[in-house]
Amino acid sequence: MRTPVIAANWKMHGTQGQVKDWFHTFEQQNLPTTSEIVVCPPFPYLLLAAHASKPSNVKIGGQDLSNELKGAYTGQVSAEMLKDIGCSYVIIGHSERRALNGETNELIAQKVLRALEIGLTPLLCVGETLKEREEEKTEQIIAEQVTHVLGKLTNEQLKNIVIAYEPVWAIGTGLAATAQQAQTVHALIRGLVAKRDQKSGDALRILYGGSVKPENALELLAMPDIDGALVGGASLDPIAFAQIVQAAK
Ligand code: PGA
């Protein structure tokens, strides 16, 4: 039985006041404790979110981290810093960082290793662009993105990662993948991990991300290989996010 993970990616949104209000409203929703709930605010609000989330069972995550341990890396944030202020998760390889910051599969693999070394759970994002899907390269792209990281991990480390399938064409567009489209790719990802280590494949949590909303969450989360959601836009509204948490099996 895989415990679902419902994660919020706030991207570059929010103020101190909004962070406080969000947690205040979210805590009043009386949610089941059957899922792991993770909130990933921008770096300046992580500490505030870590404090605000204390009364609840909400975990906090970073949206990125440095592949380096420490040193002269202006503007970067280390795994140890995230851990130090109370994060347990970190998003790695989000398509916006791949596209806008030129992150490669190699850099992403290094970041995953760094997170694991320090004891953070990497939430590794993979996904194809619309062009790649239209050219029928989805399988190839996903396999490249997943296996590049898998190749660097021990079987022990493999047990501690979470993967998010986020088709780039579905992110922020309002056009989510259909439950069947997502399920097909999730099964592919599980198969890739299972080929390496059957137990890790069976236990791996694979989240779907890309225009998840209260209206489509139930159908997506009902699929056998969809173990949670990574939610962008809809997660900014604590009530909508709570409804998505309710939809988790
Ligand atoms: P979205 O973003 O829910 O706004 O599509 C998802 C994500 O980028 O993680």
Side-chain angles (χ1 to χ4, degrees):
M1 188 58 195
R2 297 184 289 263
T3 304
V5 180
I6 308 295
N9 175 9
W10 287 355
K11 308 193 181 186
M12 199 169 72
H13 294 287
T15 61
Q16 292 194 64
Q18 283 166 353
V19 173
K20 286 183 202 153
D21 289 348
W22 192 98
F23 279 97
H24 181 73
T25 307
F26 188 71
E27 269 151 29
Q28 291 169 341
Q29 302 309 307
N30 220 343
L31 292 168
T33 52
T34 41
S35 297
E36 259 188 80
I37 303 169
V38 184
V39 173
C40 303
F43 289 137
Y45 302 132
L46 280 172
L47 193 56
L48 179 62
H51 286 306
S53 68
K54 277 240 168 77
S56 65
N57 60 350
V58 175
K59 295 180 176 167
I60 301 299
Q63 295 177 14
D64 182 38
L65 84 174
S66 174
N67 57 313
E68 301 291 348
L69 195 57
K70 61 171 74 167
Y73 301 103
T74 302
Q76 296 206 43
V77 171
S78 74
E80 279 179 344
M81 292 169 188
L82 294 179
K83 182 91 184 167
D84 185 39
I85 60 152
C87 290
S88 46
Y89 274 83
V90 60
I91 297 172
I92 299 178
H94 190 279
S95 69
E96 285 151 18
R97 294 205 60 86
R98 290 179 189 261
L100 304 173
N101 296 73
E103 293 202 3
T104 60
N105 285 331
E106 178 56 28
L107 178 68
I108 289 161
Q110 288 175 23
K111 290 185 174 193
V112 169
L113 284 172
R114 189 63 76 198
L116 289 167
E117 177 194 335
I118 302 302
L120 295 168
T121 302
L123 224 164
L124 168 67
C125 300
V126 298
E128 81 289 359
T129 62
L130 183 59
K131 184 164 175 284
E132 288 161 347
R133 175 162 282 264
E134 284 171 352
E135 290 172 357
E136 296 184 1
K137 289 191 186 144
T138 300
E139 244 178 70
Q140 178 199 329
I141 295 295
I142 300 298
E144 278 169 16
Q145 292 175 341
V146 171
T147 53
H148 197 94
V149 175
L150 287 194
K152 313 256 177 197
L153 303 184
T154 63
N155 282 357
E156 202 48 47
Q157 288 172 318
L158 205 50
K159 294 195 183 102
N160 296 321
I161 72 166
V162 173
I163 295 182
Y165 169 54
E166 297 209 304
V168 179
W169 47 271
I171 295 176
T173 59
L175 181 79
T178 64
Q180 195 49 59
Q181 279 173 324
Q183 166 59 28
T184 302
V185 179
H186 281 231
L188 167 77
I189 295 170
R190 194 176 307 290
L192 289 167
V193 176
K195 207 162 88 185
R196 176 50 205 285
D197 178 51
Q198 186 65 47
K199 268 199 187 146
S200 299
D202 292 343
L204 177 72
R205 272 111 38 104
I206 310 173
L207 318 187
Y208 168 77
S211 297
V212 176
K213 313 173 260 244
E215 298 77 37
N216 59 18
L218 202 56
E219 201 190 343
L220 285 160
L221 291 165
M223 300 311 276
D225 288 299
I226 300 185
D227 309 306
L230 179 54
V231 189
S235 75
L236 296 171
D237 173 353
I239 294 175
F241 187 64
Q243 286 167 348
I244 296 168
V245 173
Q246 296 274 18
K249 49 188 177 259

